[in-house]
Amino acid sequence: MLPGKKKKGPSKAALENVQLTHALVSAYAGAARASLCRPSAALTRKIEEAAAKGRALECIALAEPLGAPGVQALCDVLAGYPKCRNLQLWRCALGDAGLDAVSTLLVAGARPWSRAA
């Protein structure tokens, strides 16, 4: 590449984000089917919008009655998606099983807190 010329096209990070978010949509649909529940249309749309923009999905905020199986399906796929940093579940009818899935996700993704010197 010549000096002064900028590379055209999406960045490497944007391409990685698109691949991760497309994989997230597929994994979520599969996990929902396996849990015998319907995938959240709002969540699927939000993931697809992030992929179209080449962005990672860092925040998931849902306010719909997913039920325990839906929350378990979501948590199962988020365990393999490293970009999500914020999960907000409002009026999702978690139940004990859904709450257990969220707590397992939190424990699995927990990193030891440390103060940089």
Side-chain angles (χ1 to χ4, degrees):
M1 186 160 60
L2 297 174
K5 293 244 179 181
K6 290 195 173 191
K7 188 170 96 174
K8 292 184 180 181
S11 68
K12 183 178 178 181
L15 290 174
E16 179 182 307
N17 289 336
V18 169
Q19 290 174 338
L20 280 172
T21 51
H22 281 302
L24 182 62
V25 168
S26 297
Y28 175 60
R33 277 192 304 273
S35 296
L36 303 175
C37 64
R38 174 176 285 159
S40 164
L43 176 58
T44 302
R45 184 173 48 254
K46 187 171 183 173
I47 296 169
E48 289 171 347
E49 287 171 1
K53 293 176 183 176
R55 294 185 178 152
L57 188 62
E58 295 179 355
C59 176
I60 295 175
L62 295 172
E64 60 184 278
L66 297 175
V71 172
Q72 284 180 300
L74 175 60
C75 290
D76 286 347
V77 298
L78 286 180
Y81 183 74
K83 302 287 184 170
C84 184
R85 303 276 183 234
N86 187 334
L87 178 62
Q88 300 174 28
L89 301 172
W90 303 92
R91 298 182 308 273
C92 289
L94 294 176
D96 291 341
L99 187 57
D100 185 50
V102 172
S103 65
T104 300
L105 175 67
L106 291 174
V107 169
R111 293 185 189 98
W113 184 84
S114 65
R115 186 178 302 193

